[in-house]
mmCIF file of all heavy atoms in Angstrom:
data_model
loop_
_atom_site.group_PDB
_atom_site.id
_atom_site.type_symbol
_atom_site.label_atom_id
_atom_site.label_comp_id
_atom_site.label_asym_id
_atom_site.label_seq_id
_atom_site.Cartn_x
_atom_site.Cartn_y
_atom_site.Cartn_z
ATOM 1 N N SER A 1 0.830 -1.227 0.002
ATOM 2 C CA SER A 1 -0.007 -0.011 0.004
ATOM 3 C C SER A 1 0.848 1.260 0.002
ATOM 4 O O SER A 1 0.380 2.325 -0.357
ATOM 5 C CB SER A 1 -0.919 0.005 1.202
ATOM 6 O OG SER A 1 -0.189 0.118 2.432
ATOM 7 N N TRP A 2 2.135 1.175 0.369
ATOM 8 C CA TRP A 2 3.021 2.342 0.366
ATOM 9 C C TRP A 2 3.332 2.825 -1.043
ATOM 10 O O TRP A 2 3.737 3.939 -1.214
ATOM 11 C CB TRP A 2 4.340 2.026 1.076
ATOM 12 C CG TRP A 2 4.267 1.985 2.535
ATOM 13 C CD1 TRP A 2 4.363 0.904 3.377
ATOM 14 C CD2 TRP A 2 4.038 3.094 3.444
ATOM 15 N NE1 TRP A 2 4.226 1.233 4.686
ATOM 16 C CE2 TRP A 2 4.021 2.584 4.761
ATOM 17 C CE3 TRP A 2 3.851 4.462 3.213
ATOM 18 C CZ2 TRP A 2 3.823 3.417 5.859
ATOM 19 C CZ3 TRP A 2 3.666 5.278 4.343
ATOM 20 C CH2 TRP A 2 3.637 4.764 5.628
ATOM 21 N N ARG A 3 3.074 1.943 -2.029
ATOM 22 C CA ARG A 3 3.324 2.368 -3.441
ATOM 23 C C ARG A 3 2.500 3.589 -3.839
ATOM 24 O O ARG A 3 2.984 4.428 -4.595
ATOM 25 C CB ARG A 3 3.035 1.174 -4.387
ATOM 26 C CG ARG A 3 3.986 0.013 -4.262
ATOM 27 C CD ARG A 3 3.633 -1.101 -5.270
ATOM 28 N NE ARG A 3 4.583 -2.150 -5.198
ATOM 29 C CZ ARG A 3 5.708 -2.242 -5.972
ATOM 30 N NH1 ARG A 3 5.924 -1.236 -6.786
ATOM 31 N NH2 ARG A 3 6.505 -3.265 -5.895
ATOM 32 N N ASP A 4 1.274 3.615 -3.412
ATOM 33 C CA ASP A 4 0.376 4.696 -3.798
ATOM 34 C C ASP A 4 -0.113 5.550 -2.625
ATOM 35 O O ASP A 4 -1.109 6.255 -2.731
ATOM 36 C CB ASP A 4 -0.807 4.100 -4.538
ATOM 37 C CG ASP A 4 -0.407 3.275 -5.725
ATOM 38 O OD1 ASP A 4 0.319 3.794 -6.569
ATOM 39 O OD2 ASP A 4 -0.892 2.090 -5.830
ATOM 40 N N ALA A 5 0.588 5.468 -1.536
ATOM 41 C CA ALA A 5 0.171 6.202 -0.335
ATOM 42 C C ALA A 5 0.304 7.701 -0.559
ATOM 43 O O ALA A 5 1.207 8.192 -1.196
ATOM 44 C CB ALA A 5 0.985 5.785 0.882
ATOM 45 N N PRO A 6 -0.614 8.469 -0.010
ATOM 46 C CA PRO A 6 -0.518 9.953 -0.083
ATOM 47 C C PRO A 6 0.681 10.417 0.712
ATOM 48 O O PRO A 6 1.196 9.704 1.590
ATOM 49 C CB PRO A 6 -1.821 10.450 0.464
ATOM 50 C CG PRO A 6 -2.320 9.366 1.354
ATOM 51 C CD PRO A 6 -1.855 8.086 0.706
ATOM 52 N N PHE A 7 1.083 11.643 0.495
ATOM 53 C CA PHE A 7 2.253 12.158 1.203
ATOM 54 C C PHE A 7 1.913 12.232 2.690
ATOM 55 O O PHE A 7 0.903 12.874 3.077
ATOM 56 C CB PHE A 7 2.596 13.552 0.682
ATOM 57 C CG PHE A 7 3.935 14.036 1.155
ATOM 58 C CD1 PHE A 7 5.112 13.528 0.596
ATOM 59 C CD2 PHE A 7 4.023 14.995 2.173
ATOM 60 C CE1 PHE A 7 6.379 13.953 1.061
ATOM 61 C CE2 PHE A 7 5.282 15.440 2.623
ATOM 62 C CZ PHE A 7 6.449 14.924 2.070
ATOM 63 N N PRO A 8 2.725 11.634 3.572
ATOM 64 C CA PRO A 8 2.407 11.588 4.991
ATOM 65 C C PRO A 8 2.471 12.924 5.668
ATOM 66 O O PRO A 8 3.270 13.816 5.300
ATOM 67 C CB PRO A 8 3.444 10.599 5.556
ATOM 68 C CG PRO A 8 4.080 9.905 4.347
ATOM 69 C CD PRO A 8 3.931 10.911 3.224
ATOM 70 N N GLU A 9 1.719 13.094 6.727
ATOM 71 C CA GLU A 9 1.830 14.250 7.559
ATOM 72 C C GLU A 9 3.192 14.206 8.284
ATOM 73 O O GLU A 9 3.599 13.177 8.800
ATOM 74 C CB GLU A 9 0.725 14.319 8.605
ATOM 75 C CG GLU A 9 0.848 15.460 9.595
ATOM 76 C CD GLU A 9 -0.128 15.350 10.748
ATOM 77 O OE1 GLU A 9 -0.831 14.347 10.817
ATOM 78 O OE2 GLU A 9 -0.137 16.312 11.569
ATOM 79 N N LYS A 10 3.870 15.349 8.295
ATOM 80 C CA LYS A 10 5.190 15.360 8.899
ATOM 81 C C LYS A 10 5.123 16.035 10.298
ATOM 82 O O LYS A 10 4.821 17.239 10.403
ATOM 83 C CB LYS A 10 6.191 16.106 8.017
ATOM 84 C CG LYS A 10 6.337 15.498 6.631
ATOM 85 C CD LYS A 10 6.913 14.113 6.662
ATOM 86 C CE LYS A 10 7.127 13.531 5.263
ATOM 87 N NZ LYS A 10 7.673 12.174 5.269
ATOM 88 N N THR A 11 5.437 15.236 11.324
ATOM 89 C CA THR A 11 5.420 15.758 12.671
ATOM 90 C C THR A 11 6.825 15.999 13.219
ATOM 91 O O THR A 11 6.998 16.626 14.270
ATOM 92 C CB THR A 11 4.655 14.803 13.595
ATOM 93 O OG1 THR A 11 5.335 13.517 13.561
ATOM 94 C CG2 THR A 11 3.224 14.622 13.168
ATOM 95 N N HIS A 12 7.826 15.449 12.541
ATOM 96 C CA HIS A 12 9.201 15.584 12.982
ATOM 97 C C HIS A 12 10.122 15.909 11.766
ATOM 98 O O HIS A 12 9.701 15.698 10.605
ATOM 99 C CB HIS A 12 9.735 14.317 13.638
ATOM 100 C CG HIS A 12 9.079 14.040 14.975
ATOM 101 N ND1 HIS A 12 7.846 13.436 15.138
ATOM 102 C CD2 HIS A 12 9.547 14.270 16.219
ATOM 103 C CE1 HIS A 12 7.562 13.349 16.411
ATOM 104 N NE2 HIS A 12 8.550 13.838 17.107
ATOM 105 N N ASP A 13 11.290 16.414 12.101
ATOM 106 C CA ASP A 13 12.241 16.765 11.059
ATOM 107 C C ASP A 13 13.150 15.557 10.675
ATOM 108 O O ASP A 13 13.468 15.373 9.514
ATOM 109 C CB ASP A 13 13.133 17.912 11.512
ATOM 110 C CG ASP A 13 12.330 19.172 11.782
ATOM 111 O OD1 ASP A 13 11.477 19.523 10.879
ATOM 112 O OD2 ASP A 13 12.538 19.842 12.775
ATOM 113 N N LEU A 14 13.543 14.780 11.682
ATOM 114 C CA LEU A 14 14.536 13.710 11.451
ATOM 115 C C LEU A 14 14.176 12.515 12.281
ATOM 116 O O LEU A 14 13.828 12.617 13.454
ATOM 117 C CB LEU A 14 15.923 14.226 11.818
ATOM 118 C CG LEU A 14 17.056 13.244 11.611
ATOM 119 C CD1 LEU A 14 17.362 13.008 10.147
ATOM 120 C CD2 LEU A 14 18.352 13.763 12.313
ATOM 121 N N PHE A 15 14.267 11.361 11.665
ATOM 122 C CA PHE A 15 14.006 10.050 12.313
ATOM 123 C C PHE A 15 15.270 9.271 12.364
ATOM 124 O O PHE A 15 16.052 9.184 11.392
ATOM 125 C CB PHE A 15 12.910 9.332 11.582
ATOM 126 C CG PHE A 15 12.612 7.945 12.126
ATOM 127 C CD1 PHE A 15 11.698 7.746 13.099
ATOM 128 C CD2 PHE A 15 13.254 6.800 11.603
ATOM 129 C CE1 PHE A 15 11.426 6.544 13.634
ATOM 130 C CE2 PHE A 15 13.012 5.565 12.083
ATOM 131 C CZ PHE A 15 12.075 5.398 13.111
ATOM 132 N N PHE A 16 15.507 8.584 13.535
ATOM 133 C CA PHE A 16 16.578 7.605 13.582
ATOM 134 C C PHE A 16 16.227 6.492 14.574
ATOM 135 O O PHE A 16 15.822 6.774 15.717
ATOM 136 C CB PHE A 16 17.881 8.217 13.982
ATOM 137 C CG PHE A 16 18.957 7.154 14.168
ATOM 138 C CD1 PHE A 16 19.455 6.438 13.111
ATOM 139 C CD2 PHE A 16 19.462 6.843 15.444
ATOM 140 C CE1 PHE A 16 20.373 5.411 13.261
ATOM 141 C CE2 PHE A 16 20.423 5.854 15.616
ATOM 142 C CZ PHE A 16 20.918 5.134 14.534
ATOM 143 N N SER A 17 16.317 5.256 14.131
ATOM 144 C CA SER A 17 16.178 4.115 15.001
ATOM 145 C C SER A 17 17.166 3.061 14.516
ATOM 146 O O SER A 17 17.026 2.577 13.377
ATOM 147 C CB SER A 17 14.712 3.592 14.909
ATOM 148 O OG SER A 17 14.601 2.404 15.661
ATOM 149 N N GLY A 18 18.118 2.724 15.323
ATOM 150 C CA GLY A 18 19.082 1.738 14.909
ATOM 151 C C GLY A 18 20.104 1.424 16.016
ATOM 152 O O GLY A 18 20.217 2.196 16.978
ATOM 153 N N GLY A 19 20.781 0.317 15.866
ATOM 154 C CA GLY A 19 21.772 -0.093 16.772
ATOM 155 C C GLY A 19 23.017 0.756 16.762
ATOM 156 O O GLY A 19 23.423 1.223 15.688
ATOM 157 N N ILE A 20 23.595 1.075 17.897
ATOM 158 C CA ILE A 20 24.832 1.843 17.989
ATOM 159 C C ILE A 20 25.936 0.997 18.555
ATOM 160 O O ILE A 20 26.980 0.891 17.930
ATOM 161 C CB ILE A 20 24.586 3.051 18.899
ATOM 162 C CG1 ILE A 20 23.489 3.948 18.361
ATOM 163 C CG2 ILE A 20 25.909 3.834 19.041
ATOM 164 C CD1 ILE A 20 23.827 4.615 16.993
ATOM 165 N N VAL A 21 25.694 0.378 19.704
ATOM 166 C CA VAL A 21 26.748 -0.421 20.361
ATOM 167 C C VAL A 21 27.066 -1.638 19.521
ATOM 168 O O VAL A 21 26.194 -2.364 19.126
ATOM 169 C CB VAL A 21 26.315 -0.841 21.750
ATOM 170 C CG1 VAL A 21 27.382 -1.694 22.419
ATOM 171 C CG2 VAL A 21 26.056 0.416 22.636
ATOM 172 N N GLY A 22 28.362 -1.824 19.213
ATOM 173 C CA GLY A 22 28.775 -2.952 18.434
ATOM 174 C C GLY A 22 28.511 -2.775 16.953
ATOM 175 O O GLY A 22 28.613 -3.753 16.183
ATOM 176 N N ASN A 23 28.180 -1.575 16.522
ATOM 177 C CA ASN A 23 27.888 -1.346 15.129
ATOM 178 C C ASN A 23 28.935 -0.370 14.552
ATOM 179 O O ASN A 23 30.007 -0.172 15.117
ATOM 180 C CB ASN A 23 26.495 -0.781 14.968
ATOM 181 C CG ASN A 23 25.826 -1.188 13.663
ATOM 182 O OD1 ASN A 23 26.291 -0.881 12.582
ATOM 183 N ND2 ASN A 23 24.761 -1.956 13.746
ATOM 184 N N SER A 24 28.617 0.274 13.451
ATOM 185 C CA SER A 24 29.537 1.088 12.760
ATOM 186 C C SER A 24 29.943 2.360 13.591
ATOM 187 O O SER A 24 29.133 2.914 14.293
ATOM 188 C CB SER A 24 28.928 1.618 11.438
ATOM 189 O OG SER A 24 29.651 2.651 10.882
ATOM 190 N N THR A 25 31.215 2.688 13.512
ATOM 191 C CA THR A 25 31.685 3.928 14.192
ATOM 192 C C THR A 25 31.039 5.168 13.581
ATOM 193 O O THR A 25 30.993 6.228 14.280
ATOM 194 C CB THR A 25 33.205 4.035 14.103
ATOM 195 O OG1 THR A 25 33.641 4.047 12.714
ATOM 196 C CG2 THR A 25 33.884 2.869 14.815
ATOM 197 N N VAL A 26 30.570 5.090 12.394
ATOM 198 C CA VAL A 26 29.863 6.226 11.769
ATOM 199 C C VAL A 26 28.614 6.589 12.568
ATOM 200 O O VAL A 26 28.267 7.735 12.750
ATOM 201 C CB VAL A 26 29.531 5.887 10.277
ATOM 202 C CG1 VAL A 26 28.681 7.054 9.700
ATOM 203 C CG2 VAL A 26 30.773 5.708 9.461
ATOM 204 N N ARG A 27 27.960 5.528 13.036
ATOM 205 C CA ARG A 27 26.731 5.764 13.843
ATOM 206 C C ARG A 27 27.061 6.387 15.160
ATOM 207 O O ARG A 27 26.430 7.383 15.584
ATOM 208 C CB ARG A 27 25.991 4.448 14.066
ATOM 209 C CG ARG A 27 25.450 3.803 12.784
ATOM 210 C CD ARG A 27 24.582 2.632 13.090
ATOM 211 N NE ARG A 27 24.052 2.032 11.874
ATOM 212 C CZ ARG A 27 23.084 1.120 11.852
ATOM 213 N NH1 ARG A 27 22.567 0.694 12.972
ATOM 214 N NH2 ARG A 27 22.636 0.650 10.680
ATOM 215 N N ALA A 28 28.044 5.844 15.836
ATOM 216 C CA ALA A 28 28.454 6.403 17.134
ATOM 217 C C ALA A 28 28.889 7.834 16.997
ATOM 218 O O ALA A 28 28.571 8.676 17.894
ATOM 219 C CB ALA A 28 29.607 5.527 17.723
ATOM 220 N N ALA A 29 29.617 8.176 15.952
ATOM 221 C CA ALA A 29 30.084 9.534 15.793
ATOM 222 C C ALA A 29 28.999 10.519 15.542
ATOM 223 O O ALA A 29 29.100 11.696 15.931
ATOM 224 C CB ALA A 29 31.137 9.574 14.641
ATOM 225 N N GLY A 30 27.885 10.069 14.968
ATOM 226 C CA GLY A 30 26.793 10.975 14.649
ATOM 227 C C GLY A 30 25.906 11.295 15.822
ATOM 228 O O GLY A 30 25.096 12.287 15.747
ATOM 229 N N LEU A 31 25.966 10.561 16.925
ATOM 230 C CA LEU A 31 25.074 10.791 18.016
ATOM 231 C C LEU A 31 25.219 12.203 18.653
ATOM 232 O O LEU A 31 24.250 12.865 18.947
ATOM 233 C CB LEU A 31 25.246 9.721 19.098
ATOM 234 C CG LEU A 31 24.700 8.322 18.765
ATOM 235 C CD1 LEU A 31 24.923 7.371 19.973
ATOM 236 C CD2 LEU A 31 23.242 8.350 18.423
ATOM 237 N N ALA A 32 26.457 12.641 18.784
ATOM 238 C CA ALA A 32 26.686 13.950 19.361
ATOM 239 C C ALA A 32 26.118 15.036 18.440
ATOM 240 O O ALA A 32 25.598 16.066 18.913
ATOM 241 C CB ALA A 32 28.194 14.181 19.565
ATOM 242 N N GLU A 33 26.181 14.795 17.121
ATOM 243 C CA GLU A 33 25.604 15.803 16.199
ATOM 244 C C GLU A 33 24.073 15.808 16.298
ATOM 245 O O GLU A 33 23.465 16.894 16.117
ATOM 246 C CB GLU A 33 26.111 15.523 14.825
ATOM 247 C CG GLU A 33 27.606 15.575 14.731
ATOM 248 C CD GLU A 33 28.114 15.735 13.310
ATOM 249 O OE1 GLU A 33 27.514 16.555 12.525
ATOM 250 O OE2 GLU A 33 29.123 15.102 12.998
ATOM 251 N N LEU A 34 23.477 14.669 16.549
ATOM 252 C CA LEU A 34 22.001 14.671 16.784
ATOM 253 C C LEU A 34 21.624 15.501 17.948
ATOM 254 O O LEU A 34 20.673 16.223 17.961
ATOM 255 C CB LEU A 34 21.543 13.204 16.958
ATOM 256 C CG LEU A 34 21.561 12.268 15.762
ATOM 257 C CD1 LEU A 34 20.772 11.017 16.090
ATOM 258 C CD2 LEU A 34 20.980 12.919 14.528
ATOM 259 N N GLU A 35 22.423 15.388 19.039
ATOM 260 C CA GLU A 35 22.146 16.201 20.251
ATOM 261 C C GLU A 35 22.282 17.651 19.946
ATOM 262 O O GLU A 35 21.490 18.476 20.471
ATOM 263 C CB GLU A 35 23.086 15.775 21.377
ATOM 264 C CG GLU A 35 22.845 14.348 21.896
ATOM 265 C CD GLU A 35 21.422 14.159 22.373
ATOM 266 O OE1 GLU A 35 20.881 15.037 23.065
ATOM 267 O OE2 GLU A 35 20.812 13.117 22.036
ATOM 268 N N ARG A 36 23.276 18.049 19.201
ATOM 269 C CA ARG A 36 23.418 19.460 18.817
ATOM 270 C C ARG A 36 22.289 19.957 17.967
ATOM 271 O O ARG A 36 21.836 21.091 18.058
ATOM 272 C CB ARG A 36 24.784 19.704 18.197
ATOM 273 C CG ARG A 36 25.970 19.531 19.143
ATOM 274 C CD ARG A 36 27.226 20.109 18.572
ATOM 275 N NE ARG A 36 27.767 19.355 17.477
ATOM 276 C CZ ARG A 36 28.598 18.335 17.623
ATOM 277 N NH1 ARG A 36 29.020 17.942 18.857
ATOM 278 N NH2 ARG A 36 29.093 17.679 16.560
ATOM 279 N N LEU A 37 21.814 19.090 17.055
ATOM 280 C CA LEU A 37 20.661 19.462 16.236
ATOM 281 C C LEU A 37 19.406 19.633 17.078
ATOM 282 O O LEU A 37 18.639 20.582 16.849
ATOM 283 C CB LEU A 37 20.420 18.363 15.156
ATOM 284 C CG LEU A 37 21.439 18.373 13.986
ATOM 285 C CD1 LEU A 37 21.341 17.068 13.167
ATOM 286 C CD2 LEU A 37 21.224 19.566 13.056
ATOM 287 N N LYS A 38 19.245 18.729 18.062
ATOM 288 C CA LYS A 38 18.085 18.919 18.980
ATOM 289 C C LYS A 38 18.169 20.234 19.693
ATOM 290 O O LYS A 38 17.168 20.946 19.807
ATOM 291 C CB LYS A 38 18.101 17.791 19.990
ATOM 292 C CG LYS A 38 17.647 16.438 19.493
ATOM 293 C CD LYS A 38 17.706 15.426 20.623
ATOM 294 C CE LYS A 38 17.352 14.027 20.161
ATOM 295 N NZ LYS A 38 17.450 12.994 21.208
ATOM 296 N N ALA A 39 19.354 20.616 20.172
ATOM 297 C CA ALA A 39 19.543 21.857 20.897
ATOM 298 C C ALA A 39 19.245 23.066 20.016
ATOM 299 O O ALA A 39 18.870 24.115 20.492
ATOM 300 C CB ALA A 39 20.944 21.930 21.452
ATOM 301 N N ALA A 40 19.442 22.877 18.692
ATOM 302 C CA ALA A 40 19.190 23.959 17.731
ATOM 303 C C ALA A 40 17.713 24.036 17.332
ATOM 304 O O ALA A 40 17.366 24.856 16.510
ATOM 305 C CB ALA A 40 20.097 23.819 16.539
ATOM 306 N N GLY A 41 16.918 23.133 17.867
ATOM 307 C CA GLY A 41 15.471 23.186 17.570
ATOM 308 C C GLY A 41 14.993 22.167 16.532
ATOM 309 O O GLY A 41 13.796 22.187 16.162
ATOM 310 N N VAL A 42 15.867 21.302 16.055
ATOM 311 C CA VAL A 42 15.420 20.286 15.093
ATOM 312 C C VAL A 42 14.604 19.227 15.825
ATOM 313 O O VAL A 42 15.032 18.713 16.856
ATOM 314 C CB VAL A 42 16.655 19.644 14.394
ATOM 315 C CG1 VAL A 42 16.217 18.494 13.481
ATOM 316 C CG2 VAL A 42 17.412 20.669 13.609
ATOM 317 N N ARG A 43 13.455 18.896 15.314
ATOM 318 C CA ARG A 43 12.555 17.938 15.943
ATOM 319 C C ARG A 43 13.012 16.511 15.537
ATOM 320 O O ARG A 43 12.812 16.146 14.372
ATOM 321 C CB ARG A 43 11.107 18.181 15.522
ATOM 322 C CG ARG A 43 10.549 19.549 15.934
ATOM 323 C CD ARG A 43 9.243 19.822 15.248
ATOM 324 N NE ARG A 43 9.375 19.806 13.804
ATOM 325 C CZ ARG A 43 8.338 19.727 12.948
ATOM 326 N NH1 ARG A 43 7.132 19.713 13.378
ATOM 327 N NH2 ARG A 43 8.569 19.762 11.622
#
């Protein structure tokens, strides 16, 4: 049904859900930047 779904309502700016511990260092490095984005008002 996602093939023809209408454009979803956007309640947030950025979504992330994923493993950090034991995973890529790229993910771990980005967490601090997510916190700074939150502090800047990014939902």
Side-chain angles (χ1 to χ4, degrees):
S1 66
W2 284 111
R3 290 180 177 273
D4 302 308
F7 193 75
E9 177 189 4
K10 301 299 183 179
T11 59
H12 289 80
D13 297 315
L14 181 70
F15 175 87
F16 174 68
S17 175
I20 300 294
V21 178
N23 212 298
S24 168
T25 58
V26 175
R27 295 188 179 191
L31 287 182
E33 300 198 41
L34 290 190
E35 292 303 316
R36 289 194 291 271
L37 285 167
K38 286 181 184 178
V42 175
R43 299 169 300 168

